[in-house]
Amino acid sequence: MTVPFGGPSLADLLAGARVVSLPMRVRFRGITTREAVLLEGPAGWGEFAPFPEYDDAEAATWLRAAIEAAWLGPPTPLRERVPINATVPAIAPQQVPEILAPFPGARTAKVKVAENGQTLAEDVARVAAVRELIDNVRVDANGGWTVDEAVTALDALTADGPLEYAEQPCATVPELVEVRRRLAEVMNRHGRRRVPIAADESIRRAEDPLKVVRTGGADVAVVKVAPLGGMRRLLSLADDLAGHGVPVVVSSALDTAVGMNAGLAAAAALPALPYACGLGTGGLFVTDVAEPRQVADGSLAAHPIAPDQTRLAELGAPPERAQWWLARLRRCYELLAVSGDAWDE
Ligand SMILES: O=C(O)CCC(=O)c1ccccc1C(=O)O
Ligand SMILES: [Mg+2]
């Protein structure tokens, strides 16, 4: 089906728009409340929730993904369930068991490290506490280390066990290339396997998401539906990455249950899914817009779920925030209308 621009008008979009504000259990990415616009269209629901600091040009890509979900619907699934990782925010080691409790059967945990104001010793202690409960651990530094800091930290974090990979240890592509090279030396000296490097921000916030791979900066690619402009765009990038021998890990952008539908649908449609996906972040909310999906045997059911009307009413954002989001949606819509691309590409 082709839905060229003009399928949904701005009035169509606004007619089915609900602005919600979800309280979080713990601070994540420096936020304690996650706001989103949910759009209802003929094919289901879509989520528009670019982080508040993003400019309109970047946010417009997220709107494209929301429209794809609500006006085109998901691509053809190849599996019914999607394995997920537990996500561990930059919390104290004593809190680790309660954070892991909602992830029964998860065999992989992703641990946030390099948080502002924290030390390497705190990262080492948090990772050790997670390893007591889940063997396979990956870390995510969100670009917070320099090259020297990354090499030191990843050396320390692999003294007591391997890491599946390190996500975005440094901010830039040349730094990732350098970390990968220096890690190979250090790990070789210690007789350890080099920690693979995963790119996240270097993919989702890049003009050219393949650059980091072509340059030799990443072994694994973290891919997210909204910043890439939709499920089909994610699948097409994953295909290009596979051509470079780079596997993908589908992850959430701290999505509500509606955004998670799109991440799960994209993961369910990928020909290969060698890694657990970062789509288990629903548990970071106190309440979500739908009955929470249950993790069973470390995986989630991939079929879409509609938001619950009672929850939508309870989670409605304050009027001034709703106005802010709808004004942003209008501006992003204008940017997409000018660019004039089709929704099914
Ligand atoms: O990958 C996961 O486990 C969850 C997703 C996640 O960490 C995340 C969520 C919102 C914003 C940024 C990030 C990130 O991966 O850096
Ligand atoms: Mg990340």
Side-chain angles (χ1 to χ4, degrees):
M1 184 173 73
T2 300
V3 182
F5 203 89
S9 67
L10 181 59
D12 290 339
L13 287 190
L14 292 172
R18 306 286 296 258
V19 187
V20 293
S21 172
L22 276 56
M24 305 204 43
R25 276 185 216 284
V26 289
R27 176 181 290 271
F28 192 82
R29 269 191 105 256
I31 62 172
T32 52
T33 312
R34 181 76 170 114
E35 294 177 330
V37 187
L38 305 181
L39 302 171
E40 189 175 17
W45 288 79
E47 173 163 328
F48 174 63
F51 296 111
E53 71 274 18
Y54 287 12
D55 68 17
D56 290 348
E58 188 168 6
T61 307
W62 295 56
L63 181 59
R64 188 187 190 283
I67 296 173
E68 181 206 38
W71 267 264
L72 265 183
T76 309
L78 300 176
R79 57 183 70 74
E80 281 173 18
R81 298 190 67 86
V82 170
I84 55 138
N85 63 265
T87 302
V88 181
I91 46 150
Q94 308 84 271
Q95 281 178 278
V96 164
E98 79 181 72
I99 289 289
L100 293 180
F103 298 96
R107 285 170 285 275
T108 304
K110 176 172 113 166
V111 182
K112 288 285 183 185
V113 292
E115 179 90 347
N116 256 329
Q118 293 192 10
T119 62
L120 176 56
E122 289 172 274
D123 290 343
V124 170
R126 185 180 318 110
V127 167
V130 173
R131 280 201 181 112
E132 286 189 21
L133 297 165
I134 294 183
D135 290 338
N136 191 33
V137 174
R138 53 179 80 145
V139 293
D140 185 355
N142 288 110
W145 286 322
T146 64
V147 171
D148 284 343
E149 286 169 344
V151 173
T152 303
L154 293 173
D155 187 23
L157 289 165
T158 48
D160 295 325
L163 287 176
E164 184 186 30
Y165 59 71
E167 183 170 326
Q168 202 73 39
C170 305
T172 69
V173 169
E175 288 173 309
L176 294 184
V177 174
E178 179 69 2
V179 166
R180 238 170 131 236
R181 193 184 61 72
R182 297 241 330 249
L183 275 176
E185 289 169 13
V186 174
M187 298 286 162
N188 195 29
R189 222 182 300 134
H190 294 178
R192 294 184 210 144
R193 191 181 62 102
R194 176 175 68 79
V195 182
I197 300 300
D200 175 12
E201 286 83 348
S202 288
I203 300 238
R204 80 177 134 96
R205 306 200 69 177
E207 287 286 321
D208 174 8
L210 282 176
K211 186 175 167 199
V212 61
V213 164
R214 271 194 242 104
T215 323
D219 304 282
V220 175
V222 175
V223 290
K224 305 189 178 191
V225 169
L228 290 173
M231 298 172 276
R232 287 161 184 81
R233 285 217 173 152
L234 182 152
L235 293 175
S236 135
L237 176 62
D239 191 47
D240 293 343
L241 288 162
H244 287 84
V246 172
V248 299
V249 180
V250 182
S251 294
S252 117
L254 209 51
D255 306 332
T256 78
V258 167
M260 215 60 79
N261 287 341
L264 287 163
L270 277 168
L273 203 60
Y275 288 94
C277 295
L279 297 171
T281 53
L284 294 173
F285 299 124
V286 176
T287 42
D288 203 337
V289 294
E291 179 79 29
R293 283 187 161 89
Q294 294 303 312
V295 179
D297 193 27
S299 70
L300 288 171
H303 64 262
I305 47 174
D308 175 273
Q309 288 301 332
T310 315
R311 286 167 180 265
L312 285 179
E314 282 167 7
L315 294 167
E320 68 279 9
R321 295 304 301 156
Q323 285 317 310
W324 184 86
W325 275 98
L326 296 177
R328 189 184 201 194
L329 187 152
R330 279 194 194 89
R331 295 193 307 272
C332 291
Y333 181 88
E334 294 310 327
L335 288 177
L336 283 182
V338 170
S339 77
D341 61 352
W343 303 109
D344 61 344
E345 281 164 8

